[in-house]
Amino acid sequence: MRIFENHNMKNHSNMRVGGIAKKFIEVENKEELKDIFEKNKNIFLIGNGTNTLIDDGELDITFVSLKALNRIEELSEGLVRVEAGLDFNKLIAFMNRNNYTGLENLAGIPGSVGGLVYMNGGAYGSEIFDCIKEVEIFDENHEIKTLRKEDIKFSYRSTEIQEKKWVIISAIFEFKRGFDLNKVIEIQALRESKQPLDKPNLGSTFKNPKGDFSARLISEAGLKGTKIGGAEISPKHPNFIVNNGDATFEDISKILSFVKTKIKELYNIQLEEEIIVLKNENM
């Protein structure tokens, strides 16, 4: 493992906001996890930081990264083992090269494979658990276990893994043949046209409430373009909050609260963050 003390976390979040962590540990072998969790407190597992808003200032948190665990292994026809640290779009590229289908609708989602499995990430009617067969985890008893998909509770943007704060080490995917390259091109073009990819952001900020869309509610409420400090509700996609260059954790937190309050007042709907908001006092 590699250990860095007093580590600047700003560049570990796509929002480009974050303070100084007590410790940052890069895992190089899954067997190191037991030692890390037994010798450290206030641990937070950080993926690619594509959906994590990190508090600024001094952080009494030990961040653990699995980015070095990034191998793909084809076990047999259609069965592929992928380590948690792999960038998700490298998995899409692997599927293209090997003519595997099933996750094309998720193409372009930033993040690690482990991060998407952790929260059952998805887009355009598909989710990553559609193709999951097994997940290898490090549990609360500091044991490495393999769980079958049918033994894991999961739902829209939520999993038992997230609730119990297990660490995802790897996942086995079950694919069929027939990669749809045209679908990937279409999805990526759609993302580029509708999402503010030119500014730091954390993707979709709020989960869609049942039977509706957060973006529609925020837009209808007239909140597009609202600014607090350096943070802004994107005029291009109202379910994205962007950093215009100098946003602080407080700026973004205030916008989150503002949106939730307004939507509750206008529609009696309680929005819930899809992003992870990491405050010092949460640990």
Short mmCIF file of all heavy atoms in Angstrom, two decimals, residues 21-58:
data_model
loop_
_atom_site.label_atom_id
_atom_site.label_comp_id
_atom_site.label_asym_id
_atom_site.label_seq_id
_atom_site.Cartn_x
_atom_site.Cartn_y
_atom_site.Cartn_z
N ALA A 21 -6.85 15.95 3.87
CA ALA A 21 -7.15 14.71 4.59
C ALA A 21 -6.02 14.32 5.52
O ALA A 21 -4.84 14.51 5.19
CB ALA A 21 -7.40 13.59 3.59
N LYS A 22 -6.39 13.76 6.65
CA LYS A 22 -5.39 13.26 7.60
C LYS A 22 -4.49 12.23 6.92
O LYS A 22 -3.28 12.23 7.08
CB LYS A 22 -6.11 12.64 8.80
CG LYS A 22 -5.20 12.04 9.86
CD LYS A 22 -5.99 11.57 11.07
CE LYS A 22 -6.92 10.41 10.73
NZ LYS A 22 -7.62 9.90 11.92
N LYS A 23 -5.12 11.38 6.10
CA LYS A 23 -4.37 10.30 5.46
C LYS A 23 -5.08 9.85 4.18
O LYS A 23 -6.31 9.86 4.11
CB LYS A 23 -4.24 9.12 6.43
CG LYS A 23 -3.14 8.13 6.11
CD LYS A 23 -3.10 7.00 7.14
CE LYS A 23 -2.64 7.46 8.50
NZ LYS A 23 -2.54 6.31 9.45
N PHE A 24 -4.28 9.50 3.17
CA PHE A 24 -4.81 8.97 1.91
C PHE A 24 -4.03 7.69 1.62
O PHE A 24 -2.80 7.72 1.53
CB PHE A 24 -4.63 9.98 0.78
CG PHE A 24 -5.22 9.54 -0.54
CD1 PHE A 24 -6.54 9.81 -0.86
CD2 PHE A 24 -4.44 8.85 -1.47
CE1 PHE A 24 -7.08 9.42 -2.08
CE2 PHE A 24 -4.97 8.45 -2.68
CZ PHE A 24 -6.30 8.74 -2.99
N ILE A 25 -4.73 6.56 1.49
CA ILE A 25 -4.07 5.26 1.31
C ILE A 25 -4.49 4.65 -0.02
O ILE A 25 -5.69 4.49 -0.30
CB ILE A 25 -4.43 4.30 2.46
CG1 ILE A 25 -4.01 4.88 3.81
CG2 ILE A 25 -3.76 2.94 2.25
CD1 ILE A 25 -4.44 4.05 5.01
N GLU A 26 -3.51 4.27 -0.83
CA GLU A 26 -3.76 3.57 -2.08
C GLU A 26 -3.53 2.08 -1.86
O GLU A 26 -2.42 1.65 -1.52
CB GLU A 26 -2.84 4.08 -3.19
CG GLU A 26 -3.16 5.49 -3.65
CD GLU A 26 -2.28 5.93 -4.81
OE1 GLU A 26 -1.35 5.17 -5.18
OE2 GLU A 26 -2.51 7.03 -5.33
N VAL A 27 -4.57 1.29 -2.03
CA VAL A 27 -4.50 -0.16 -1.85
C VAL A 27 -3.87 -0.79 -3.09
O VAL A 27 -4.26 -0.48 -4.21
CB VAL A 27 -5.90 -0.75 -1.61
CG1 VAL A 27 -5.84 -2.27 -1.47
CG2 VAL A 27 -6.55 -0.13 -0.37
N GLU A 28 -2.91 -1.68 -2.88
CA GLU A 28 -2.26 -2.36 -4.01
C GLU A 28 -2.58 -3.85 -4.05
O GLU A 28 -2.34 -4.51 -5.05
CB GLU A 28 -0.75 -2.15 -3.93
CG GLU A 28 -0.35 -0.68 -4.09
CD GLU A 28 1.14 -0.45 -3.96
OE1 GLU A 28 1.71 -0.82 -2.92
OE2 GLU A 28 1.73 0.13 -4.89
N ASN A 29 -3.15 -4.36 -2.95
CA ASN A 29 -3.54 -5.77 -2.87
C ASN A 29 -4.74 -5.86 -1.93
O ASN A 29 -4.74 -5.25 -0.86
CB ASN A 29 -2.36 -6.60 -2.34
CG ASN A 29 -2.63 -8.08 -2.34
OD1 ASN A 29 -3.61 -8.55 -1.74
ND2 ASN A 29 -1.78 -8.84 -3.00
N LYS A 30 -5.75 -6.63 -2.30
CA LYS A 30 -6.97 -6.69 -1.48
C LYS A 30 -6.71 -7.21 -0.07
O LYS A 30 -7.46 -6.88 0.86
CB LYS A 30 -8.03 -7.57 -2.17
CG LYS A 30 -7.67 -9.05 -2.28
CD LYS A 30 -8.78 -9.80 -3.03
CE LYS A 30 -8.46 -11.29 -3.13
NZ LYS A 30 -9.52 -12.02 -3.88
N GLU A 31 -5.65 -7.98 0.11
CA GLU A 31 -5.33 -8.51 1.44
C GLU A 31 -4.89 -7.40 2.40
O GLU A 31 -4.86 -7.59 3.62
CB GLU A 31 -4.23 -9.57 1.34
CG GLU A 31 -4.54 -10.74 0.41
CD GLU A 31 -5.78 -11.52 0.81
OE1 GLU A 31 -6.13 -11.51 2.02
OE2 GLU A 31 -6.41 -12.14 -0.07
N GLU A 32 -4.56 -6.22 1.87
CA GLU A 32 -4.15 -5.09 2.71
C GLU A 32 -5.33 -4.45 3.44
O GLU A 32 -5.15 -3.73 4.43
CB GLU A 32 -3.46 -4.02 1.86
CG GLU A 32 -2.17 -4.49 1.20
CD GLU A 32 -1.65 -3.50 0.17
OE1 GLU A 32 -2.40 -2.59 -0.24
OE2 GLU A 32 -0.48 -3.65 -0.24
N LEU A 33 -6.54 -4.71 2.97
CA LEU A 33 -7.72 -4.06 3.53
C LEU A 33 -7.90 -4.34 5.02
O LEU A 33 -8.24 -3.45 5.80
CB LEU A 33 -8.98 -4.48 2.77
CG LEU A 33 -9.14 -3.89 1.37
CD1 LEU A 33 -10.24 -4.59 0.60
CD2 LEU A 33 -9.41 -2.39 1.45
N LYS A 34 -7.65 -5.57 5.43
CA LYS A 34 -7.83 -5.94 6.83
C LYS A 34 -6.93 -5.09 7.73
O LYS A 34 -7.38 -4.53 8.74
CB LYS A 34 -7.52 -7.42 7.02
CG LYS A 34 -7.79 -7.96 8.44
CD LYS A 34 -7.55 -9.46 8.50
CE LYS A 34 -7.75 -10.00 9.90
NZ LYS A 34 -9.17 -9.92 10.33
N ASP A 35 -5.68 -4.96 7.34
CA ASP A 35 -4.72 -4.17 8.12
C ASP A 35 -5.12 -2.70 8.15
O ASP A 35 -5.07 -2.04 9.20
CB ASP A 35 -3.33 -4.33 7.51
CG ASP A 35 -2.24 -3.74 8.40
OD1 ASP A 35 -2.19 -4.09 9.59
OD2 ASP A 35 -1.46 -2.91 7.91
N ILE A 36 -5.57 -2.18 7.02
CA ILE A 36 -5.97 -0.77 6.92
C ILE A 36 -7.16 -0.48 7.83
O ILE A 36 -7.16 0.51 8.58
CB ILE A 36 -6.32 -0.41 5.46
CG1 ILE A 36 -5.05 -0.39 4.59
CG2 ILE A 36 -7.03 0.95 5.37
CD1 ILE A 36 -5.30 -0.32 3.11
N PHE A 37 -8.16 -1.34 7.80
CA PHE A 37 -9.36 -1.09 8.58
C PHE A 37 -9.17 -1.35 10.07
O PHE A 37 -9.89 -0.78 10.89
CB PHE A 37 -10.53 -1.92 8.03
CG PHE A 37 -11.25 -1.25 6.90
CD1 PHE A 37 -10.68 -1.21 5.63
CD2 PHE A 37 -12.47 -0.64 7.09
CE1 PHE A 37 -11.32 -0.59 4.57
CE2 PHE A 37 -13.12 0.00 6.05
CZ PHE A 37 -12.55 0.03 4.78
N GLU A 38 -8.20 -2.16 10.41
CA GLU A 38 -7.93 -2.41 11.83
C GLU A 38 -7.06 -1.33 12.46
O GLU A 38 -7.14 -1.09 13.66
CB GLU A 38 -7.28 -3.79 12.01
CG GLU A 38 -8.27 -4.94 11.79
CD GLU A 38 -7.64 -6.31 11.97
OE1 GLU A 38 -6.40 -6.38 12.10
OE2 GLU A 38 -8.39 -7.30 11.97
N LYS A 39 -6.28 -0.63 11.65
CA LYS A 39 -5.33 0.34 12.18
C LYS A 39 -5.75 1.79 11.99
O LYS A 39 -5.06 2.71 12.45
CB LYS A 39 -3.95 0.12 11.56
CG LYS A 39 -3.30 -1.19 11.98
CD LYS A 39 -1.91 -1.34 11.39
CE LYS A 39 -1.25 -2.63 11.87
NZ LYS A 39 0.09 -2.82 11.25
N ASN A 40 -6.87 2.04 11.30
CA ASN A 40 -7.30 3.40 11.03
C ASN A 40 -8.76 3.62 11.44
O ASN A 40 -9.55 2.68 11.48
CB ASN A 40 -7.13 3.73 9.54
CG ASN A 40 -5.68 3.73 9.11
OD1 ASN A 40 -4.97 4.72 9.29
ND2 ASN A 40 -5.22 2.62 8.54
N LYS A 41 -9.10 4.88 11.72
CA LYS A 41 -10.47 5.26 12.05
C LYS A 41 -10.98 6.25 11.01
O LYS A 41 -10.22 6.79 10.22
CB LYS A 41 -10.51 5.89 13.44
CG LYS A 41 -10.12 4.95 14.57
CD LYS A 41 -10.17 5.67 15.92
CE LYS A 41 -9.77 4.73 17.05
NZ LYS A 41 -9.79 5.43 18.37
N ASN A 42 -12.30 6.49 11.05
CA ASN A 42 -12.91 7.47 10.15
C ASN A 42 -12.49 7.22 8.70
O ASN A 42 -11.98 8.11 8.01
CB ASN A 42 -12.56 8.90 10.54
CG ASN A 42 -13.06 9.26 11.93
OD1 ASN A 42 -13.95 8.60 12.47
ND2 ASN A 42 -12.49 10.30 12.51
N ILE A 43 -12.74 6.00 8.23
CA ILE A 43 -12.33 5.61 6.87
C ILE A 43 -13.44 5.91 5.87
O ILE A 43 -14.61 5.64 6.13
CB ILE A 43 -11.98 4.11 6.83
CG1 ILE A 43 -10.70 3.85 7.65
CG2 ILE A 43 -11.79 3.62 5.40
CD1 ILE A 43 -10.37 2.38 7.81
N PHE A 44 -13.04 6.47 4.75
CA PHE A 44 -13.99 6.68 3.65
C PHE A 44 -13.35 6.15 2.37
O PHE A 44 -12.23 6.51 2.02
CB PHE A 44 -14.33 8.16 3.47
CG PHE A 44 -15.32 8.42 2.36
CD1 PHE A 44 -16.68 8.25 2.58
CD2 PHE A 44 -14.89 8.78 1.09
CE1 PHE A 44 -17.60 8.47 1.56
CE2 PHE A 44 -15.80 8.99 0.06
CZ PHE A 44 -17.16 8.84 0.30
N LEU A 45 -14.09 5.28 1.67
CA LEU A 45 -13.59 4.71 0.42
C LEU A 45 -13.89 5.68 -0.72
O LEU A 45 -15.05 6.00 -0.97
CB LEU A 45 -14.26 3.36 0.16
CG LEU A 45 -13.56 2.49 -0.88
CD1 LEU A 45 -12.29 1.89 -0.30
CD2 LEU A 45 -14.48 1.40 -1.38
N ILE A 46 -12.85 6.14 -1.39
CA ILE A 46 -13.03 7.10 -2.48
C ILE A 46 -12.78 6.41 -3.81
O ILE A 46 -11.77 5.73 -3.99
CB ILE A 46 -12.09 8.32 -2.31
CG1 ILE A 46 -12.34 9.39 -3.38
CG2 ILE A 46 -10.62 7.92 -2.25
CD1 ILE A 46 -13.43 10.33 -3.05
N GLY A 47 -13.74 6.53 -4.73
CA GLY A 47 -13.56 5.98 -6.07
C GLY A 47 -12.92 7.04 -6.96
O GLY A 47 -11.91 7.64 -6.62
N ASN A 48 -13.56 7.31 -8.10
CA ASN A 48 -13.05 8.35 -8.99
C ASN A 48 -13.49 9.74 -8.55
O ASN A 48 -13.16 10.73 -9.20
CB ASN A 48 -13.52 8.10 -10.43
CG ASN A 48 -12.75 6.97 -11.08
OD1 ASN A 48 -11.97 6.30 -10.44
ND2 ASN A 48 -13.00 6.74 -12.36
N GLY A 49 -14.31 9.81 -7.49
CA GLY A 49 -14.77 11.11 -6.99
C GLY A 49 -15.76 11.78 -7.90
O GLY A 49 -15.98 12.99 -7.83
N THR A 50 -16.41 11.01 -8.77
CA THR A 50 -17.32 11.60 -9.75
C THR A 50 -18.70 11.90 -9.18
O THR A 50 -19.49 12.58 -9.83
CB THR A 50 -17.48 10.66 -10.96
OG1 THR A 50 -17.83 9.36 -10.49
CG2 THR A 50 -16.19 10.58 -11.75
N ASN A 51 -18.99 11.39 -7.98
CA ASN A 51 -20.28 11.72 -7.36
C ASN A 51 -20.12 12.05 -5.88
O ASN A 51 -21.06 11.92 -5.11
CB ASN A 51 -21.28 10.55 -7.53
CG ASN A 51 -20.95 9.38 -6.63
OD1 ASN A 51 -19.79 9.12 -6.33
ND2 ASN A 51 -21.96 8.66 -6.19
N THR A 52 -18.91 12.49 -5.48
CA THR A 52 -18.63 12.74 -4.07
C THR A 52 -18.24 14.20 -3.84
O THR A 52 -17.24 14.68 -4.38
CB THR A 52 -17.49 11.83 -3.56
OG1 THR A 52 -17.82 10.46 -3.84
CG2 THR A 52 -17.30 11.99 -2.07
N LEU A 53 -19.06 14.88 -3.02
CA LEU A 53 -18.77 16.25 -2.61
C LEU A 53 -18.03 16.19 -1.28
O LEU A 53 -18.57 15.69 -0.29
CB LEU A 53 -20.07 17.04 -2.46
CG LEU A 53 -19.94 18.48 -1.94
CD1 LEU A 53 -19.12 19.33 -2.90
CD2 LEU A 53 -21.32 19.09 -1.72
N ILE A 54 -16.80 16.69 -1.25
CA ILE A 54 -15.93 16.57 -0.08
C ILE A 54 -15.84 17.91 0.64
O ILE A 54 -15.59 18.95 0.02
CB ILE A 54 -14.53 16.09 -0.49
CG1 ILE A 54 -14.61 14.74 -1.24
CG2 ILE A 54 -13.62 15.95 0.72
CD1 ILE A 54 -13.28 14.27 -1.81
N ASP A 55 -16.03 17.87 1.94
CA ASP A 55 -15.91 19.05 2.79
C ASP A 55 -14.52 19.68 2.59
O ASP A 55 -13.56 18.98 2.28
CB ASP A 55 -16.09 18.63 4.25
CG ASP A 55 -16.62 19.76 5.13
OD1 ASP A 55 -16.54 20.93 4.71
OD2 ASP A 55 -17.10 19.46 6.24
N ASP A 56 -14.45 21.01 2.79
CA ASP A 56 -13.13 21.64 2.72
C ASP A 56 -12.60 21.88 4.13
O ASP A 56 -13.24 21.52 5.11
CB ASP A 56 -13.13 22.93 1.87
CG ASP A 56 -14.41 23.73 2.02
OD1 ASP A 56 -14.99 23.72 3.12
OD2 ASP A 56 -14.83 24.38 1.04
N GLY A 57 -11.41 22.44 4.25
CA GLY A 57 -10.78 22.60 5.56
C GLY A 57 -10.01 21.35 5.95
O GLY A 57 -9.69 20.49 5.12
N GLU A 58 -9.72 21.22 7.24
CA GLU A 58 -9.00 20.06 7.76
C GLU A 58 -9.97 18.89 7.92
O GLU A 58 -11.03 19.02 8.54
CB GLU A 58 -8.37 20.39 9.12
CG GLU A 58 -7.30 21.48 9.06
CD GLU A 58 -6.07 21.05 8.31
OE1 GLU A 58 -5.69 19.87 8.41
OE2 GLU A 58 -5.47 21.91 7.61
#
